[in-house]
Amino acid sequence: MLVLFPALAAMAASFGWAGGTVLAQMPARRLGAFEFTRIQLISCAAIMVILSSLFGLWQSVDLMNWPAYAASVVVGILLGNLAMIECLRLGGPRLTELLLCLKAPIVVLVAYFWLGETLKGIDIIGAAVVLAGVVLAILASHEGELDLKESAGSVLPVLFFGAFAAACQGGGFLVVKPMLEMGAEPIAVSAIRLSGAAAIISLIGIWPVRAFRPGTDATPYLVFRTILPGVIGYGVSSSLLLYAFANMEAGIAAVLGSLSPLFVLPILWVKTKQRPNTLAVSGAVLAITGTSLIVLF
């Protein structure tokens, strides 16, 4: 039962990222990766700082661990999310989620060599079944979006940005796991990570480079559409996954936090009115089976 709540938190984080990914595609394409990320980080950092202050969560954070927080900010949020948004712009939600599945095996390997974490045989089998189901569901889904076959010229950039984002995001969560295990509150940790990333990206944005300029004017509606998936992803989902990392093996938390491609299927079904095909449903069943093996045994 002790594993159930962290597992549910990781899966809830996956659902949040799935919804956020679908919501983010339009504003990300219009604003560009940098401006989209800048608006999200500044607004979400302010929200998480206010929450941490209201609930008195700052005392749980030991600032002597600032090097780990700094690494999590630069690698996990800034580099990881810039790469993810660029991958989303070039390849769309389905390919982005597929490449982000690499996050789980990367975290498993790093946690084994760095933190000495080992997984039970049933956990390894369950994780493998989950990842197989996720990949099958993604490949079998019909989203009517840009994919590798339709954009041969952008195959390498999509693969690079997706794999780089997976490695950075996984590492960004893993580096703060020791602090979470020592009692740091996930919301306060999220506030520190977002505030640091917001400060850095704001300074970078002063540099007069064309790549840092928005692709279009930021209207109030476009800003709202940018902030909404940011709150869902950076605020809610990241805090839930940090809680899962603090209370279960990092590799399993990463696997359960990679289920967003499955949740994308029903969301897109509602959005596009196009039902997932049999292979997509089979992938979902596989993932559910693997998740049950992890949680129940």
Side-chain angles (χ1 to χ4, degrees):
M1 183 61 68
L2 291 177
V3 179
L4 179 60
F5 293 110
L8 289 175
M11 288 186 284
S14 292
F15 181 79
W17 276 315
T21 299
V22 174
L23 291 173
Q25 187 176 13
M26 182 277 286
R29 284 179 170 173
R30 293 185 59 183
L31 290 172
F34 186 87
E35 181 66 8
F36 177 84
T37 304
R38 187 184 71 85
I39 293 174
Q40 282 198 334
L41 287 176
I42 293 174
S43 58
C44 294
I47 293 171
M48 300 306 286
V49 166
I50 291 172
L51 288 176
S52 296
S53 300
L54 287 176
F55 292 104
L57 304 179
W58 293 117
Q59 62 265 29
S60 70
V61 176
D62 185 356
L63 293 181
M64 293 298 292
N65 295 313
W66 69 265
Y69 290 119
S72 183
V73 167
V74 175
V75 177
I77 294 186
L78 196 61
L79 296 180
N81 285 282
L82 282 172
M84 182 193 71
I85 296 302
E86 192 62 23
C87 182
L88 178 63
R89 282 192 344 108
L90 296 174
R94 180 159 65 104
L95 294 178
T96 299
E97 295 295 348
L98 175 61
L99 292 168
L100 289 180
C101 288
L102 295 172
K103 187 190 310 179
I106 290 172
V107 168
V108 170
L109 289 175
V110 176
Y112 175 77
F113 289 106
W114 181 43
L115 300 177
E117 287 190 358
T118 57
L119 301 178
K120 297 182 296 184
I122 192 67
D123 289 334
I124 296 174
I125 294 172
V129 172
V130 168
L131 291 177
V134 168
V135 171
L136 180 61
I138 296 170
L139 295 178
S141 64
H142 293 293
E143 298 185 12
E145 65 178 48
L146 182 70
D147 63 22
L148 291 178
K149 293 181 180 179
E150 296 169 347
S151 55
S154 64
V155 170
L156 291 180
V158 170
L159 295 178
F160 170 77
F161 284 117
F164 186 70
C168 288
Q169 289 183 4
F173 280 108
L174 194 59
V175 75
V176 295
K177 179 175 171 63
M179 280 67 76
L180 292 165
E181 291 177 332
M182 289 187 293
E185 291 288 345
I187 292 178
V189 173
S190 291
I192 292 174
R193 297 174 77 234
L194 289 170
S195 298
I200 293 172
I201 202 169
S202 296
L203 291 174
I204 294 174
I206 298 174
W207 191 17
V209 176
R210 182 178 179 83
F212 297 158
R213 303 280 73 82
T216 187
D217 292 335
T219 64
Y221 174 73
L222 196 55
V223 170
F224 170 75
R225 284 293 305 269
T226 301
I227 293 176
L228 179 59
V231 171
I232 295 172
Y234 289 123
V236 179
S237 294
S238 292
S239 297
L240 287 171
L241 190 57
L242 285 170
Y243 170 77
F245 265 75
N247 293 279
M248 65 192 307
E249 290 84 356
I252 297 303
V255 170
L256 297 180
S258 300
L259 294 175
S260 50
L262 298 179
F263 294 119
V264 163
L265 294 177
I267 292 172
L268 288 172
W269 185 3
V270 172
K271 179 182 178 182
T272 65
K273 310 302 182 184
Q274 188 172 14
R275 186 176 60 184
N277 62 21
T278 303
L279 285 179
V281 175
S282 300
V285 171
L286 268 180
I288 292 171
T289 301
T291 302
S292 301
L293 292 175
I294 293 171
V295 175
L296 299 178
F297 296 97

